[in-house]
Amino acid sequence: MEYLTVGEVAQRSGLPVSTIHFWESKGLIRSLRSDGNQRRFARPELRRIAVIKIGQRAGIPLSEIRDVLDTLPADRAVSAKSWAALSRRWKGSLDDRIARLTALRDQLGQCIGCGCLSLNKCWLRNANDKLATEGPGPRLLNFDE
Amino acid sequence: MEYLTVGEVAQRSGLPVSTIHFWESKGLIRSLRSDGNQRRFARPELRRIAVIKIGQRAGIPLSEIRDVLDTLPADRAVSAKSWAALSRRWKGSLDDRIARLTALRDQLGQCIGCGCLSLNKCWLRNANDKLATEGPGPRLLNFDE
DNA sequence: CTACAACCTCAAGTATAGTTGAGGTCAAGC
DNA sequence: GCTTGACCTCAACTATACTTGAGGTTGTAG
């Protein structure tokens, strides 16, 4: 049981076999082949898969995940040190996304309360009608009916 | 200047003409046609566009945005009341997403600090190796090298 | 009244992240 | 030694959200 078949990896990781194929085709994971050309996965690949899944949860595109994994030794499991660096990086990107979403949420929260009845105070205004902000012209987001 | 051409809408909204065509084809916005079959947009469409853009920023898929817009009167601008209901709804969905991302971020933050050197405490473990949790079997996320 | 920018439709292409299926091979149990 | 589930490749398909291009029409300014 030194190596795992694709089915075993699927079971352990919870991924469909097709996704494992796909990720391998994209260079995210690697396998050896048996005499009969079947995939054989070294155990450390499981850790890479776990890391990839976390990256995805963090909203990192596969191409970027692949790029950072490529900077790591391919033949060993992701080390604690590498993982700390990776998680720091992904945490940063998450921080950004959370900040942006939170700002939007707070703005939406204000819209609920105010009903955006005051055009000049509405945060939506400047963000959405380029022309309208350049003069007293027609207003895209005038919520006064 | 009762009605706007597609180019005018593009300028005001900052959208490419192609996107306006696309959104119309998906039923998100509507237009009348000139004698020569060119699109003519009623002014209230600009507000719908603004609302759509906000929905997108909130991560709402176009199909869902279309569904909620469909419940609104098509011939008038989005009213303050409708907008309040909409923003409440989207804020809720944003709240969820933010909560999930924040949880992940916090977990990542812990990983940075701890280096995940203690398998049994690592939050990643249970989340990622179904088999491994059912016994003392091989460990997907053992970060002890 | 003519030039030309802006418009039209429809098909195909792009990118991401896979899934599905056809047609064929491998390997483990009986 | 044969059956059967697991595996193989490769092409095509799905979904979302658009963009690009070809080939043709409209509308406005001079």
Side-chain angles (χ1 to χ4, degrees):
Chain A
M1 272 215 157
E2 172 87 41
Y3 290 100
L4 303 168
T5 67
V6 72
E8 285 162 345
V9 171
Q11 270 223 309
R12 277 172 186 285
S13 66
L15 293 174
V17 170
S18 63
T19 300
I20 297 172
H21 285 184
F22 178 71
W23 284 4
E24 193 188 335
S25 80
K26 292 285 173 182
L28 288 147
I29 50 177
R30 254 163 266 247
S31 65
L32 305 170
R33 294 303 175 112
S34 72
D35 286 348
N37 195 36
Q38 297 194 350
R39 288 172 181 81
R40 291 298 178 260
F41 292 88
R43 231 155 246 296
E45 290 304 305
L46 290 173
R47 198 181 291 178
R48 291 176 89 87
I49 286 172
V51 170
I52 294 164
K53 289 172 93 174
I54 292 160
Q56 284 199 307
R57 284 173 62 194
I60 315 294
L62 287 185
S63 58
E64 225 172 284
I65 296 176
R66 187 205 49 218
D67 290 346
V68 297
L69 286 180
D70 277 354
T71 68
L72 271 42
D75 53 331
R76 283 206 310 277
V78 179
S79 70
K81 197 173 161 188
S82 298
W83 170 237
L86 223 58
S87 48
R88 195 187 310 275
R89 177 162 170 173
W90 287 348
K91 179 179 177 299
S93 133
L94 261 180
D95 282 338
D96 289 351
R97 275 168 14 85
I98 289 169
R100 261 180 288 111
L101 291 177
T102 301
L104 178 59
R105 179 196 53 188
D106 293 346
Q107 289 168 329
L108 279 180
Q110 293 197 354
C111 282
I112 295 168
C114 77
C116 291
L117 289 168
S118 170
L119 171 65
N120 289 319
K121 282 193 264 171
C122 184
W123 61 278
L124 290 171
R125 186 199 182 209
N126 291 315
N128 282 286
D129 188 351
K130 290 171 182 174
L131 258 186
T133 60
E134 290 166 18
R139 290 132 163 202
L140 179 55
L141 283 163
N142 181 0
F143 282 89
D144 303 314
E145 298 274 347
Chain B
M1 271 214 158
E2 172 89 39
Y3 290 100
L4 303 168
T5 66
V6 71
E8 286 163 344
V9 172
Q11 270 222 309
R12 279 175 184 283
S13 65
L15 292 174
V17 171
S18 63
T19 300
I20 297 172
H21 285 182
F22 178 71
W23 285 3
E24 193 188 338
S25 80
K26 291 286 171 182
L28 287 146
I29 50 179
R30 255 163 266 246
S31 66
L32 306 171
R33 295 304 176 109
S34 72
D35 287 348
N37 195 36
Q38 298 195 352
R39 286 171 181 82
R40 292 296 180 262
F41 292 88
R43 229 155 248 297
E45 290 304 306
L46 289 172
R47 199 183 290 179
R48 292 176 89 87
I49 287 173
V51 170
I52 294 165
K53 289 172 94 174
I54 293 160
Q56 283 200 308
R57 284 173 62 194
I60 314 294
L62 287 185
S63 58
E64 226 171 284
I65 295 176
R66 186 205 48 218
D67 290 345
V68 297
L69 287 180
D70 277 354
T71 68
L72 271 42
D75 53 331
R76 281 209 309 280
V78 180
S79 71
K81 197 174 163 188
S82 298
W83 171 236
L86 224 59
S87 47
R88 196 187 310 275
R89 176 163 170 171
W90 287 349
K91 178 179 176 301
S93 133
L94 261 180
D95 282 338
D96 289 351
R97 275 168 15 86
I98 289 169
R100 261 179 287 110
L101 291 177
T102 301
L104 178 59
R105 179 194 55 187
D106 292 346
Q107 289 167 327
L108 278 180
Q110 293 196 356
C111 281
I112 294 169
C114 77
C116 291
L117 290 168
S118 171
L119 172 65
N120 289 319
K121 281 192 264 172
C122 184
W123 61 278
L124 290 170
R125 187 201 182 209
N126 292 315
N128 283 286
D129 187 352
K130 289 170 184 176
L131 258 187
T133 60
E134 290 166 19
R139 289 129 161 204
L140 179 55
L141 282 163
N142 180 1
F143 282 89
D144 304 313
E145 298 274 347

mmCIF file of all heavy atoms in Angstrom, chain A residues 3 10 13 21 27 31 50 52 71 74 90 99 129 131 144:
data_model
loop_
_atom_site.group_PDB
_atom_site.id
_atom_site.type_symbol
_atom_site.label_atom_id
_atom_site.label_comp_id
_atom_site.label_asym_id
_atom_site.label_seq_id
_atom_site.Cartn_x
_atom_site.Cartn_y
_atom_site.Cartn_z
ATOM 1 N N TYR A 3 1.545 2.895 -2.680
ATOM 2 C CA TYR A 3 0.915 3.820 -3.618
ATOM 3 C C TYR A 3 -0.586 3.623 -3.640
ATOM 4 O O TYR A 3 -1.078 2.534 -3.350
ATOM 5 C CB TYR A 3 1.489 3.598 -5.021
ATOM 6 C CG TYR A 3 2.922 4.051 -5.102
ATOM 7 C CD1 TYR A 3 3.974 3.142 -5.026
ATOM 8 C CD2 TYR A 3 3.206 5.404 -5.241
ATOM 9 C CE1 TYR A 3 5.286 3.583 -5.088
ATOM 10 C CE2 TYR A 3 4.518 5.847 -5.306
ATOM 11 C CZ TYR A 3 5.553 4.928 -5.224
ATOM 12 O OH TYR A 3 6.847 5.362 -5.273
ATOM 13 N N ALA A 10 -9.609 9.041 -4.689
ATOM 14 C CA ALA A 10 -10.953 9.609 -4.776
ATOM 15 C C ALA A 10 -11.706 9.410 -3.465
ATOM 16 O O ALA A 10 -12.304 10.346 -2.924
ATOM 17 C CB ALA A 10 -11.712 8.971 -5.928
ATOM 18 N N SER A 13 -10.058 11.505 -0.604
ATOM 19 C CA SER A 13 -10.130 12.959 -0.753
ATOM 20 C C SER A 13 -11.561 13.438 -0.929
ATOM 21 O O SER A 13 -11.854 14.622 -0.772
ATOM 22 C CB SER A 13 -9.304 13.388 -1.965
ATOM 23 O OG SER A 13 -9.893 12.876 -3.148
ATOM 24 N N HIS A 21 -8.315 13.322 -12.445
ATOM 25 C CA HIS A 21 -7.756 13.342 -13.805
ATOM 26 C C HIS A 21 -7.535 14.775 -14.259
ATOM 27 O O HIS A 21 -6.480 15.119 -14.789
ATOM 28 C CB HIS A 21 -8.717 12.654 -14.782
ATOM 29 C CG HIS A 21 -8.715 11.164 -14.681
ATOM 30 N ND1 HIS A 21 -9.451 10.358 -15.519
ATOM 31 C CD2 HIS A 21 -8.076 10.315 -13.847
ATOM 32 C CE1 HIS A 21 -9.265 9.088 -15.199
ATOM 33 N NE2 HIS A 21 -8.436 9.037 -14.187
ATOM 34 N N GLY A 27 -1.650 19.883 -14.128
ATOM 35 C CA GLY A 27 -0.368 19.975 -13.450
ATOM 36 C C GLY A 27 -0.440 20.273 -11.963
ATOM 37 O O GLY A 27 0.562 20.656 -11.354
ATOM 38 N N SER A 31 1.320 11.755 -10.821
ATOM 39 C CA SER A 31 1.227 10.331 -10.512
ATOM 40 C C SER A 31 2.279 9.564 -11.290
ATOM 41 O O SER A 31 2.775 10.034 -12.318
ATOM 42 C CB SER A 31 -0.165 9.803 -10.890
ATOM 43 O OG SER A 31 -0.363 9.872 -12.285
ATOM 44 N N ALA A 50 -5.297 18.198 -0.431
ATOM 45 C CA ALA A 50 -5.935 18.923 0.674
ATOM 46 C C ALA A 50 -5.640 20.412 0.555
ATOM 47 O O ALA A 50 -6.527 21.261 0.741
ATOM 48 C CB ALA A 50 -5.437 18.372 2.000
ATOM 49 N N ILE A 52 -4.890 22.057 -2.164
ATOM 50 C CA ILE A 52 -5.610 22.596 -3.321
ATOM 51 C C ILE A 52 -7.064 22.910 -2.938
ATOM 52 O O ILE A 52 -7.601 23.968 -3.282
ATOM 53 C CB ILE A 52 -5.589 21.587 -4.496
ATOM 54 C CG1 ILE A 52 -4.167 21.403 -5.010
ATOM 55 C CG2 ILE A 52 -6.508 22.056 -5.623
ATOM 56 C CD1 ILE A 52 -3.981 20.169 -5.891
ATOM 57 N N THR A 71 6.247 25.933 -6.954
ATOM 58 C CA THR A 71 7.462 26.428 -6.302
ATOM 59 C C THR A 71 7.879 25.500 -5.153
ATOM 60 O O THR A 71 8.924 25.699 -4.548
ATOM 61 C CB THR A 71 7.228 27.840 -5.723
ATOM 62 O OG1 THR A 71 6.295 27.741 -4.640
ATOM 63 C CG2 THR A 71 6.660 28.777 -6.773
ATOM 64 N N ALA A 74 8.201 18.826 -5.583
ATOM 65 C CA ALA A 74 7.112 18.022 -6.121
ATOM 66 C C ALA A 74 7.075 16.623 -5.513
ATOM 67 O O ALA A 74 6.038 15.988 -5.472
ATOM 68 C CB ALA A 74 7.245 17.916 -7.636
ATOM 69 N N TRP A 90 -2.614 33.079 1.251
ATOM 70 C CA TRP A 90 -4.036 32.935 0.942
ATOM 71 C C TRP A 90 -4.894 33.690 1.942
ATOM 72 O O TRP A 90 -5.950 34.206 1.604
ATOM 73 C CB TRP A 90 -4.403 31.460 0.868
ATOM 74 C CG TRP A 90 -3.867 30.821 -0.382
ATOM 75 C CD1 TRP A 90 -3.342 31.490 -1.466
ATOM 76 C CD2 TRP A 90 -3.789 29.439 -0.698
ATOM 77 N NE1 TRP A 90 -2.944 30.593 -2.424
ATOM 78 C CE2 TRP A 90 -3.210 29.317 -1.988
ATOM 79 C CE3 TRP A 90 -4.153 28.276 -0.023
ATOM 80 C CZ2 TRP A 90 -2.999 28.092 -2.598
ATOM 81 C CZ3 TRP A 90 -3.948 27.059 -0.647
ATOM 82 C CH2 TRP A 90 -3.374 26.964 -1.923
ATOM 83 N N ALA A 99 -12.823 42.095 2.990
ATOM 84 C CA ALA A 99 -12.959 43.542 3.193
ATOM 85 C C ALA A 99 -13.875 44.150 2.140
ATOM 86 O O ALA A 99 -14.753 44.963 2.437
ATOM 87 C CB ALA A 99 -11.578 44.202 3.143
ATOM 88 N N ASP A 129 -22.921 55.869 -12.378
ATOM 89 C CA ASP A 129 -23.263 56.613 -13.577
ATOM 90 C C ASP A 129 -22.204 57.669 -13.848
ATOM 91 O O ASP A 129 -22.191 58.727 -13.252
ATOM 92 C CB ASP A 129 -24.635 57.281 -13.428
ATOM 93 C CG ASP A 129 -25.091 57.910 -14.740
ATOM 94 O OD1 ASP A 129 -24.280 57.972 -15.684
ATOM 95 O OD2 ASP A 129 -26.256 58.327 -14.811
ATOM 96 N N LEU A 131 -21.560 59.529 -16.431
ATOM 97 C CA LEU A 131 -22.025 60.781 -17.018
ATOM 98 C C LEU A 131 -22.749 61.642 -15.992
ATOM 99 O O LEU A 131 -22.523 62.840 -15.877
ATOM 100 C CB LEU A 131 -22.992 60.491 -18.167
ATOM 101 C CG LEU A 131 -22.412 60.635 -19.550
ATOM 102 C CD1 LEU A 131 -23.509 60.476 -20.569
ATOM 103 C CD2 LEU A 131 -21.718 61.978 -19.709
ATOM 104 N N ASP A 144 -35.724 58.627 -5.777
ATOM 105 C CA ASP A 144 -36.964 59.367 -5.561
ATOM 106 C C ASP A 144 -37.850 59.119 -6.753
ATOM 107 O O ASP A 144 -37.475 59.422 -7.882
ATOM 108 C CB ASP A 144 -36.682 60.873 -5.487
ATOM 109 C CG ASP A 144 -35.672 61.193 -4.402
ATOM 110 O OD1 ASP A 144 -35.810 60.672 -3.285
ATOM 111 O OD2 ASP A 144 -34.746 61.955 -4.696
#
